[in-house]
Amino acid sequence: MTRTTSAVARALERIERLDPALHAFIEVWPETALAREREALARRLPLGGLPFAVKGPSGIRSYAARRLIAAGGVPVGATSVPGPGTVWQTWGQGAHGRTVNPWRADRTPGGSSAGSAVAVAAGMAEAATGSDGAGSVRIPAAWCGVFGLKTTNGLLPSPDRTGLASTGLFARSAAAAEPYLRRVLGGGGPPDEAFGLPLPLPLPAVYSEDLGFAEVDPEVAAVVRAAVDRLVAAGTVRLLDRDAGLLDPAGAWTAVRGGSPDDPEAVRVRRTNDERLDALFSGGALLLTPATPNRPHGHEGPGSRYSTALTWAFNLSGHPAASLPAGFTGDGCPVGLQLVASRGADLGLLAAARAVEDALPAAPTPPLPGRR
């Protein structure tokens, strides 16, 4: 391939070089991508040919992808999702084999937006689309050491009839995600001019290690707590004395996903958690938690542990939520810090994420073989 300085050509070169080992893509579209880039530049479209990846075989038809293409973004390929028979084994199946975590090949990248997170972490795409019905953006973002955001449920069109899944996006950082989110949210979310507005610091926030019910790996909890302490010391966050205890949403989520949203116990759990979250978020407070209760597991699956334990409550409640890199466990696994905001406060959440990442050490890139 002829080497150029264009963003799409660089993305395609990295995919060609790195993906045979990472297996993040199921399809790559080099000729179409380069043609789209030329058109976007010639028409001076807002995204100017910035490359992105789409989740799964149908991702090119998603609302987010269509919005990005209209704004001059260039889809370079479709990324992997879990293959058949992988209900809780959250790795993807790429064109060359199972998708691996770019930090540790013996571990899963998380899912179901597995390949999207890996593509961004490895620099094979500037951003990638995802969807999040239980943590499918936030979990792989946490385990691959990138930024991932789930939008408010119902804010943007979604094919999920249960209402649990919403549009998501990955980028190397919240700052890098902004130009993409500006275009995705511009057609269904807050006005475009609302982007980039600064938030007064410190941000009022509530920290919860376990949301009152989850069993969290002590080292994961320690990494996240250290990040929160750093935010407090930097004057970015002011912790509030509020109760973040929720009822375990596992049964309610399963009932809704199974088509029984009116199950009495599911209704009780959702109503109780909604009341508690409304009180917690009053006055514009944020909620801070670990993104996952565990570190990335092996490709055989997590066993009986639900990696979704700290994420799926917010698919039931509809709140926007994001995962940011918080640090690493001693065995080299990335850990994510989850930020949750009030329903509809997607722009405020993005601004908060930018303030948080400014106060934390810059997230490193994976030590990939042959990367340039």
Side-chain angles (χ1 to χ4, degrees), residues 110-180:
S112 61
S113 307
S116 286
V118 174
V120 169
M124 295 186 286
E126 300 282 344
T129 65
S131 58
D132 191 315
S136 291
V137 166
R138 289 160 289 162
I139 293 169
W143 287 353
C144 292
V146 298
F147 173 79
L149 181 142
K150 175 196 90 68
T151 56
T152 297
N153 292 52
L155 179 66
L156 302 173
S158 170
D160 179 28
R161 295 181 179 179
T162 68
L164 292 171
S166 59
T167 296
L169 189 82
F170 296 89
R172 284 290 309 161
S173 64
E178 185 169 308
Y180 294 90

Side-chain angles (χ1 to χ4, degrees), residues 24-343:
F25 284 87
I26 55 175
E27 295 179 13
V28 182
W29 311 309
E31 293 83 6
T32 304
L34 290 168
R36 285 186 189 273
E37 182 184 40
R38 289 192 293 270
E39 180 184 6
L41 292 172
R43 294 175 58 192
R44 298 183 179 180
L45 294 174
L47 288 179
L50 282 174
F52 69 96
V54 300
K55 176 185 178 178
S58 62
I60 193 67
R61 300 190 297 274
S62 68
Y63 176 83
R66 288 185 281 114
R67 289 287 304 169
L68 292 172
I69 292 169
V74 176
V76 294
T79 59
S80 64
V81 292
T86 57
V87 178
W88 288 107
Q89 296 173 349
T90 51
W91 46 266
Q93 187 70 27
H96 305 287
R98 69 185 183 190
T99 310
V100 302
N101 191 301
W103 291 95
R104 285 194 50 163
D106 63 333
R107 305 291 177 92
T108 175
S112 61
S113 307
S116 286
V118 174
V120 169
M124 295 186 286
E126 300 282 344
T129 65
S131 58
D132 191 315
S136 291
V137 166
R138 289 160 289 162
I139 293 169
W143 287 353
C144 292
V146 298
F147 173 79
L149 181 142
K150 175 196 90 68
T151 56
T152 297
N153 292 52
L155 179 66
L156 302 173
S158 170
D160 179 28
R161 295 181 179 179
T162 68
L164 292 171
S166 59
T167 296
L169 189 82
F170 296 89
R172 284 290 309 161
S173 64
E178 185 169 308
Y180 294 90
L181 283 168
R182 182 189 297 270
R183 301 304 159 187
V184 173
L185 292 175
D192 187 71
E193 61 269 18
F195 278 89
L197 295 179
L199 291 177
L201 301 180
L203 304 171
V206 178
Y207 173 68
S208 176
E209 176 182 306
D210 58 9
L211 291 177
F213 59 83
E215 181 182 345
V216 180
D217 178 327
E219 193 172 354
V220 169
V223 170
V224 173
R225 181 71 221 202
V228 171
D229 289 344
R230 186 179 185 119
L231 295 175
V232 172
T236 303
V237 160
R238 173 175 58 88
L239 293 182
L240 304 176
D241 184 17
R242 293 183 184 174
D243 183 12
L246 302 179
L247 300 181
D248 188 341
W253 186 95
T254 303
V256 173
R257 175 58 74 189
S260 301
D262 296 327
D263 173 82
E265 180 61 13
V267 170
R268 183 186 73 85
V269 169
R270 296 185 76 179
R271 181 182 297 121
T272 300
N273 282 352
D274 282 350
E275 291 172 353
R276 294 178 182 181
L277 289 169
D278 286 346
L280 187 150
F281 288 121
S282 65
L286 292 169
L287 174 60
L288 310 177
T289 78
T292 67
N294 53 331
R295 65 192 80 193
H297 53 74
H299 292 280
E300 74 284 353
S304 60
R305 172 167 283 183
Y306 285 88
S307 303
T308 55
L310 296 169
T311 52
W312 53 3
F314 309 111
N315 297 91
L316 280 169
S317 68
H319 292 83
S323 178
L324 286 77
F328 292 81
T329 55
D331 57 352
C333 293
V335 174
L337 166 65
Q338 180 174 224
L339 276 66
V340 190
S342 299
R343 297 181 193 89

